[in-house]
Structures are given as C-alpha cells and as structure tokens.
Amino acid sequence: MTTFFSLCKCSLKLSTHFCRSTRQFASFHLPYRNNTVTSQQQSSFHLISTSNRISFHNYNYNLKRKMSKKQQTPTDDELRKRLTEEQYYVTQCKGTEQPFTGAFVDHHEHGVYKCVCCGVQLFSSEAKFDSGCGWPAFSAPLSTDEKDSTNITENEDRSHGMVRTEVVCSQCQAHLGHVFDDGPTPTHLRYCINSASLDFEKKNK
C-alpha cells in the first residue's frame, strides 16, 4: 500500500528518492512555490513498501530503505557438505529420527533452538516440555519482531495413511516435524520436532 506525506512551509531538498521503474535510489531537488508543496509534488513523497521510512532532520527529507537481515537460504550442495546424513535425511527428505535418540530430547539448557539448515530462531527453551513422546516438544514457536509472526510454516501432511500438520522452517523450508493439539495450556499445542532439524544457542538467564 502506498503512503503519502503532506509537506509544507519549508524550502525542501529531497536528498534521496526511490524510483519505481529502476527500483534504485536517486537524488534530486524538489521545487517549491510560495513555501508550500503542491499535491503533484506530494506524490514524490511516498513509500514503496512498509520497509521504507521517511526521516526528518533540518528540513532535509531522506528516504531510507530499511534493509532486513535475512539469513541466506543454503543450497543443496552446501547442505550435503555441512549436514550429517541423518540431518539431511530429516530436513530435506521429510524423514523422522528414531524416538529417544535425538540430542535434544533430554536437553534442559536455557537458550534458543534454531534451524540446523539456515539458522533462523524457531523455539525458545522456555516453551520446551517433557511430553514423553521421544522427540523434543514445544508448546509454541518463538515469536519474531513482527506481531504474532513466527519462523514456522504449517502444511497438510497426508503421508503414511494419516492426516497430520507438518511444520517446516519458513526461511528454507526444512522439515522440522509435526504439530498436534494435545499439548499443555495455554496453547494446547505440541510441536513434536526432530533433534536433527535443530541447532541450539545457549543464552544466559
């Protein structure tokens, strides 16, 4: 959605402008008349997306693009070189590790569980609980900076003659496990996740 800004009563210089056609920034002077900005000139002050913002300083109007630091999705060759055979099988072939064999089944350190493939944060240790199912279990995924947003994507899974809800990493689509509705309050959800899909970053309380 395009957002427009009204600017008036000042001699203006637009130091940076985002061009729709080239999708690049360019500098130019904004003409003015009677110390006001016409409606036509106002159209120059718009945002291409919500990732852009206007900053105001000494009547210089700088259009800055907020660059998000997204992890780069690894290639298949990179994953084959870096992951173990089991990690690759689970994350890339939608496999399942044997119950009670994963490194994080009986893991109780404080920190964040991340995607073993791309490194995005998935679950907090505070949401981990002992479900007795043989795989690491979480009551909820970790929220990102955006409201009510997570790095988890849910897909319908009809394999093995069952209908389940698969969970994958939103960044790189690595298979993580499945989510069930038999978890603890308040979510009543149980994210049953393969240890082979996870990495862990320890944090101090």
Side-chain angles (χ1 to χ4, degrees):
M1 181 178 67
T2 302
T3 304
F4 293 88
F5 292 84
S6 296
L7 307 172
C8 60
K9 297 183 180 180
C10 56
S11 175
L12 300 177
K13 176 185 176 182
L14 182 63
S15 59
T16 314
H17 174 70
F18 189 90
C19 178
R20 288 176 187 251
S21 60
T22 64
R23 301 197 66 79
Q24 295 179 346
F25 291 98
S27 298
F28 67 93
H29 291 272
L30 178 68
Y32 67 96
R33 182 172 53 204
N34 298 327
N35 291 327
T36 61
V37 181
T38 66
S39 59
Q40 181 178 4
Q41 291 166 347
Q42 288 177 11
S43 65
S44 297
F45 291 86
H46 62 269
L47 301 184
I48 301 302
S49 69
T50 56
S51 65
N52 297 322
R53 58 186 173 87
I54 296 288
S55 63
F56 300 86
H57 180 66
N58 295 332
Y59 298 116
N60 287 328
Y61 292 78
N62 302 317
L63 184 63
K64 296 182 179 180
R65 192 176 187 183
K66 188 178 181 181
M67 303 302 293
S68 60
K69 296 181 179 179
K70 291 186 176 180
Q71 286 84 348
Q72 184 178 0
T73 302
T75 64
D76 184 71
D77 288 339
E78 291 173 340
L79 292 176
R80 288 182 182 275
K81 292 178 181 178
R82 179 161 53 85
L83 301 182
T84 66
E85 184 176 344
E86 183 179 42
Q87 288 173 332
Y88 185 89
Y89 166 69
V90 170
T91 60
Q92 306 304 304
C93 305
K94 300 185 185 298
T96 302
E97 65 194 13
Q98 292 297 313
F100 301 102
T101 63
F104 299 123
V105 176
D106 193 27
H107 185 257
H108 305 289
E109 291 189 272
H110 182 75
V112 175
Y113 293 88
K114 305 185 299 182
C115 175
V116 73
C117 296
C118 68
V120 298
Q121 297 183 348
L122 301 174
F123 299 96
S124 169
S125 60
E126 296 179 0
K128 192 173 185 293
F129 67 98
D130 185 8
S131 67
C133 66
W135 293 274
F138 304 87
S139 59
L142 188 67
S143 297
T144 61
D145 293 338
E146 298 180 12
K147 185 178 179 181
D148 298 327
S149 179
T150 71
N151 289 320
I152 298 292
T153 299
E154 298 182 0
N155 300 320
E156 184 180 76
D157 179 7
R158 291 182 172 271
S159 63
H160 307 294
M162 298 179 287
V163 180
R164 297 175 294 172
T165 302
E166 177 197 18
V167 289
V168 301
C169 172
S170 298
Q171 173 71 19
C172 67
Q173 302 302 306
H175 173 75
L176 304 174
H178 294 84
V179 59
F180 304 93
D181 58 2
D182 56 4
T185 57
T187 64
H188 299 284
L189 297 175
R190 173 172 59 93
Y191 287 83
C192 186
I193 308 299
N194 292 278
S195 291
S197 300
L198 302 175
D199 197 0
F200 182 74
E201 180 181 349
K202 185 177 180 179
K203 294 187 176 180
N204 296 326
K205 291 185 178 181

